[in-house]
């Protein structure tokens, strides 16, 4: 019976890579079977492919796999499932568990069931890993494994593996716990007990592999609280991996270790670690294409971070390695690995690197490809960043109409976030692009919407700047009288911003340059003032409708939204000299500001302040770079951060 019989599962793609096929591999079915069993016992990454070839050879010779061998084949194949094949892992593990039971291998059956729950989907599991229900079932499997071990029906490696899988599931749920820090302490205690249980049996390579993985998990959940201890644990994990006779790359541990090194400022060590991993010449098996793509992506991030740090501190210059590394990551992210996140993220970062160097046409192609990948993956921060950079490139290429559409679509999605400042900033760029496109009426409406968005965040200085920008478009569309009305409103907003800024400094005395959290900055009305409706401009001949009615769909809404210009209050880099301007001065200065924001120069600085794509959403989660507690949407817009305006 083939390990991939179509009545049991259909992967649709090969989960493993042909590179694992040994040059001197035997042709005899029984020798192939012996080799597959040996690779499985060693935990070799090429075991899945070996079982596939053994099963095929046996079937051609008229033989079949025994239930125990078939179960091992399904386990190995499921462990190889990555990228597009990943959803098949859960069902494969469940089928393997049933076959292990038939073969009387109760310890192996528990391991397969535990892996099925972790992989999901399946009974009790779900996409993206186990939930609370699956974690509870894993706790039951852990107790059953302990009981079987006590009577000799499960060996130490099998029992330790089930215990490790339960601890891993708990770690994945840490950020959903009522007290994540206390729960992290409890998981660390569980892992310490696991290490004490398995350490006396470390002479068994299978047990040593579990010890390596347990130390890696312990290092992961220790990293946010004690990076130095995490470094020690992760180094020990890699040492255990090698000591167990496993020369193949330990990519996950290397990514985690390099990420913690970056957080501690050890960029040179992180760079050396990743370069050594990429230069590995171990032939059996070679580095997977998907792992190489991730390592290249992480090394590009490390090199970029080191370069930025050295530029800031005046250290030595380094060669620009980022773009070649990103190009290599793009190259290796396809094929059997087909990791949408890695491939799309590498294209985004490479596109941004091109855009920053003025290669906007090449950047646009990559950003469009990245956007297609992000639409499939469903990460909003990634889509917003890709659209914003694509719009900025379009603006610098003279495609202002396209720029306004992309900025608007990015703004619509960003306005759904808890912190609406990024949406406001992108919305203003929409208005800028509409102005460059020669659509003053649409630009004026967009700037008015921008002012409303900034009022909602409590940033009246930013609202004033949006109104000043609006006055220029109103002057073009409806004349001087209407523009003066808008300038008067801008003056009131600027005065309100100055009063609130002074009051905040008096009451709380924060340091200059510290951001004001949105939740503490609520819009207020000046005493005795009744603000006119946002959709009206009072002109000499009556009232001009500046919004054109409520939008009826996303595209119409996107066309109407707006945001900010250079600087957003003192907290966001807006200078005191500008704040002290009288309105006529501000109005005359605004023209030059608009030219600077039109895209004729370099990229808009606010692009770099957008939330990180695929960032960790919690303190103990790991992002695509291997970083624990990475820069997710909330982290990027938390109190104390800046949202950069247009310049």
């Amino acid at each position: 019976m083939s390990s991939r019989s179509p009545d049991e599962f259909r992967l649709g793609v090969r989960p493993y890579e042909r590179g694992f096929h040994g040059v001197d591999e035997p042709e005899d079915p029984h020798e192939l079977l012996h080799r597959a069993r040996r690779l499985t016992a060693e935990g070799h990454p090429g075991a899945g492919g070996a079982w596939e070839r053994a099963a095929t050879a046996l079937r051609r010779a008229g033989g079949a796999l025994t239930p125990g061998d078939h179960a091992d084949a399904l386990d190995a194949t499921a462990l190889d499932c990555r990228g597009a094949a990943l959803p098949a892992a859960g069902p494969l593990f469940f089928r393997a568990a049933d076959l292990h039971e038939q073969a009387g291998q109760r310890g192996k059956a528990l391991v397969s069931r535990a892996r099925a729950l972790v992989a999901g989907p399946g009974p009790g599991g779900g996409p993206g890993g186990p939930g609370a229900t699956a974690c509870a079932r894993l706790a039951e499997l852990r107790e059953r494994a302990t009981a079987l071990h006590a009577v000799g029906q499960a060996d130490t490696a099998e029992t330790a593996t089930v215990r490790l899988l339960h601890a891993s599931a708990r770690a994945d749920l840490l950020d959903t716990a009522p007290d994540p820090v206390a729960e992290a302490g409890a998981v660390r205690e569980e892992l310490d007990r696991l290490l004490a249980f398995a350490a006396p049996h470390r002479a068994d390579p299978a047990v040593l592999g579990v010890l390596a993985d347990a130390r890696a998990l312990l290092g992961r959940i220790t990293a946010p609280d004690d990076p130095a201890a995490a470094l020690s644990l992760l180094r020990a994990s890699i040492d255990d991996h090698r000591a167990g006779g496993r020369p193949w790359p330990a990519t996950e541990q290397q990514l985690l270790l390099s990420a913690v090194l970056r957080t501690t400022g050890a960029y040179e060590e992180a760079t050396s670690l990743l370069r050594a991993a990429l230069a590995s010449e171990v032939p059996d098996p070679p580095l997977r294409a998907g792992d190489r793509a991730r390592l290249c992506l992480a090394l590009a991030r490390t090199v970029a971070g080191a370069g930025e740090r050295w530029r800031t501190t005046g250290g030595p210059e380094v060669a620009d390695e980022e773009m070649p590394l990103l190009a290599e990551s793009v190259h290796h992210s396809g094929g059997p690995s087909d990791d949408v996140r890695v491939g799309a993220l590498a294209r985004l970062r490479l596109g941004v690197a091109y855009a920053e160097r003025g290669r906007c046409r090449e950047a646009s192609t990559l950003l469009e490809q990245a956007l297609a990948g992000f639409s499939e993956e469903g990460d909003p921060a990634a889509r917003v960043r890709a659209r914003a950079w694509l719009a900025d490139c379009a603006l610098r290429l003279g495609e202002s109409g396209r720029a306004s559409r992309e900025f608007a679509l990015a703004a619509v999605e960003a306005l759904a976030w808890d912190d609406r400042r990024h949406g406001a900033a992108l919305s203003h760029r929409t208005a800028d692009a509409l102005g460059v496109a020669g659509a003053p009426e649409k630009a004026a409406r967009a700037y008015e919407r921008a002012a409303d968005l900034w009022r909602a965040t409590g940033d009246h200085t930013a609202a004033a700047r949006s109104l000043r920008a609006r006055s220029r478009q109103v002057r073009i569309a409806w004349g001087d009288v209407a523009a003066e009305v808008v300038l008067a409103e801008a003056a009131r907003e600027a005065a309100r911003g100055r009063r609130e800024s002074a009051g905040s400094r008096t009451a709380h005395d924060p340091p200059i340059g510290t951001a004001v959290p949105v939740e503490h900055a609520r819009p207020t009305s000046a005493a005795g003032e009744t603000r006119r409706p946002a959709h009206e401009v009072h002109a000499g001949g009556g009232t001009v409708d500046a919004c054109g009615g409520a939008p009826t769909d996303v595209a119409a809404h996107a066309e109407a939204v707006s945001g900010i210009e250079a600087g957003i209050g003192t907290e966001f880099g807006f200078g005191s000299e500008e704040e002290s301007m009288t309105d006529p001065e501000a109005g005359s200065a605004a023209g030059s500001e608009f030219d600077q924001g039109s895209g004729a120069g370099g990229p808009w600085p606010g692009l770099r302040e957008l939330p990180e794509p695929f960032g960790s959403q919690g303190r103990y989660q790991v992002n695509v770079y291997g970083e624990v507690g990475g820069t997710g949407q909330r982290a990027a817009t938390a109190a104390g951060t800046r949202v950069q305006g247009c310049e």
Side-chain angles (χ1 to χ4, degrees):
M1 182 183 294
S2 169
S3 66
R4 298 181 69 235
S5 56
D7 60 320
E8 291 179 352
F9 56 94
R10 294 180 181 274
L11 293 177
V13 299
R14 297 182 70 87
Y16 35 76
E17 300 179 32
R18 292 186 181 274
F20 293 163
H21 193 294
V23 176
D24 58 348
E25 188 170 78
E27 296 183 3
D28 181 81
H30 296 286
E31 290 185 13
L32 286 170
L33 184 61
H34 175 73
R35 183 174 186 273
R37 288 170 178 163
R38 177 175 57 82
L39 293 179
T40 296
E42 294 173 352
H44 195 286
W51 278 113
E52 169 71 10
R53 291 185 287 276
T56 301
L58 279 172
R59 186 173 61 251
R60 288 173 179 169
L65 294 174
T66 65
D69 283 340
H70 190 185
D72 284 342
L74 293 174
D75 276 332
T77 304
L79 288 169
D80 268 342
C81 287
R82 298 181 175 210
L86 188 59
L92 289 176
F93 281 129
F94 276 117
R95 175 63 176 144
D98 292 339
L99 289 169
H100 280 309
E101 292 282 0
Q102 291 179 27
Q105 301 165 336
R106 300 183 65 186
K108 283 187 174 182
L110 288 180
V111 172
S112 295
R113 293 194 190 283
R115 284 174 172 161
L117 289 169
V118 170
T133 301
C135 194
R137 294 189 62 189
L138 283 164
E140 295 174 3
L141 293 179
R142 179 196 60 188
E143 298 306 318
R144 288 171 59 188
T146 301
L148 287 177
H149 182 265
V151 296
Q153 295 188 22
D155 64 27
T156 301
E158 292 161 355
T159 305
T161 299
V162 175
R163 294 177 65 170
L164 176 61
L165 290 168
H166 175 254
S168 177
R170 289 185 69 184
D172 289 339
L173 295 173
L174 281 177
D175 291 294
T176 65
D179 187 346
V181 175
E183 178 66 8
V187 177
R188 280 193 286 270
E189 291 177 2
E190 180 177 348
L191 287 168
D192 287 338
R193 291 192 295 271
L194 169 57
L195 293 172
F197 166 76
H201 308 275
R202 61 181 292 118
D204 181 350
V207 174
L208 198 53
V210 178
L211 285 170
D213 292 340
R215 286 197 171 95
L217 179 58
L218 192 54
R220 167 192 153 186
I221 63 176
T222 301
D225 305 307
D226 190 348
L231 287 175
S232 177
L233 287 163
L234 290 167
R235 290 188 176 110
S237 171
I238 293 175
D239 289 342
D240 282 347
H241 180 84
R242 292 169 180 162
R246 302 183 177 202
W248 47 88
T251 302
E252 294 301 327
Q253 291 95 323
Q254 290 165 334
L255 287 169
L256 280 167
L257 178 55
S258 66
V260 178
L261 287 169
R262 283 197 299 272
T263 64
T264 60
Y267 283 94
E268 291 185 15
E269 187 178 351
T271 301
S272 298
L273 171 70
L274 293 170
R275 283 180 178 151
L278 286 166
S280 173
E281 297 181 357
V282 175
D284 185 29
L287 186 63
R288 294 174 184 265
D291 289 341
R292 184 173 293 277
R294 291 187 66 194
L295 289 167
C296 286
L297 189 62
L299 181 55
R301 186 175 183 84
T302 306
V303 167
E308 182 62 32
R309 183 167 178 257
W310 286 327
R311 282 191 294 271
T312 302
T313 59
E317 291 292 330
V318 294
D320 187 1
E321 299 179 71
E322 184 182 10
M323 288 197 295
L325 287 167
L326 292 172
E328 188 175 354
S329 181
V330 169
H331 174 72
H332 290 291
S333 61
S337 63
D338 194 24
D339 192 321
V340 175
R341 295 184 309 160
V342 173
L345 187 54
R347 286 179 175 85
L348 170 60
R349 293 200 57 191
L350 184 56
V352 168
Y354 281 151
E356 289 180 327
R357 291 158 179 78
R359 298 165 63 176
C360 293
R361 191 69 66 185
E362 296 165 276
S364 295
T365 301
L366 285 163
L367 293 167
E368 288 170 351
Q369 294 170 352
L371 188 57
F374 294 141
S375 297
E376 179 181 342
E377 181 66 21
D379 184 79
R383 286 195 300 270
V384 167
R385 185 177 283 251
R387 285 194 185 281
W389 276 99
L390 188 58
D392 195 80
C393 287
L395 199 57
R396 287 190 280 157
L397 289 169
E399 302 170 2
S400 51
R402 182 187 183 190
S404 66
R405 289 191 296 273
E406 295 294 347
F407 272 131
L409 290 169
V412 167
E413 193 150 18
L415 286 170
W417 297 342
D418 292 340
D419 187 333
R420 296 167 67 85
R421 292 176 295 174
H422 291 295
L426 289 165
S427 299
H428 185 91
R429 292 298 288 170
T430 306
D432 281 350
L434 288 168
V436 174
E441 296 90 349
K442 292 180 179 180
R445 290 195 291 268
Y447 282 126
E448 175 65 11
R449 190 71 59 89
D452 287 343
L453 290 171
W454 283 108
R455 288 188 187 101
T457 70
D459 193 334
H460 297 283
T461 302
R465 291 178 68 82
S466 291
L467 289 169
R468 288 168 185 155
R470 169 176 162 76
S471 72
R472 297 191 295 275
Q473 301 302 318
V474 168
R475 193 180 304 276
I476 296 170
W478 295 295
D480 293 344
V481 175
E484 292 303 320
V485 172
V486 178
L487 277 175
E489 184 179 359
R492 291 193 294 272
E493 289 294 336
R496 186 179 301 171
R498 287 192 294 270
R499 287 196 301 271
E500 292 191 353
S501 179
S504 175
R505 284 195 293 269
T506 300
H508 305 289
D509 196 26
I512 298 298
T514 301
V516 177
V518 172
E519 61 268 21
H520 298 305
R522 303 298 183 194
T524 59
S525 298
E529 176 186 344
T530 302
R531 195 170 72 84
R532 64 173 178 77
H535 64 281
E536 294 179 353
V537 174
H538 295 285
T543 299
V544 178
D545 181 359
C547 286
T552 57
D553 56 26
V554 172
H557 175 69
E559 191 172 273
V561 292
S562 57
I564 60 168
E565 274 190 313
I568 310 171
T570 302
E571 299 84 1
F572 306 110
F574 184 71
S576 57
E577 179 181 353
E578 176 69 28
E579 285 186 3
S580 64
M581 282 186 182
T582 61
D583 291 315
E585 291 171 327
S588 63
S592 61
E593 294 162 6
F594 184 81
D595 293 338
Q596 292 170 1
S598 66
W604 166 48
L607 292 167
R608 300 179 182 91
E609 308 300 329
L610 292 170
E612 184 77 16
F614 298 111
S616 300
Q617 296 298 313
R619 180 178 178 84
Y620 297 101
Q621 296 303 305
V622 182
N623 66 14
V624 70
Y625 301 102
E627 298 163 341
V628 185
T631 53
Q633 173 190 320
R634 293 179 182 273
T637 58
T641 62
R642 293 172 48 142
V643 177
Q644 181 69 45
C646 306
E647 293 183 350

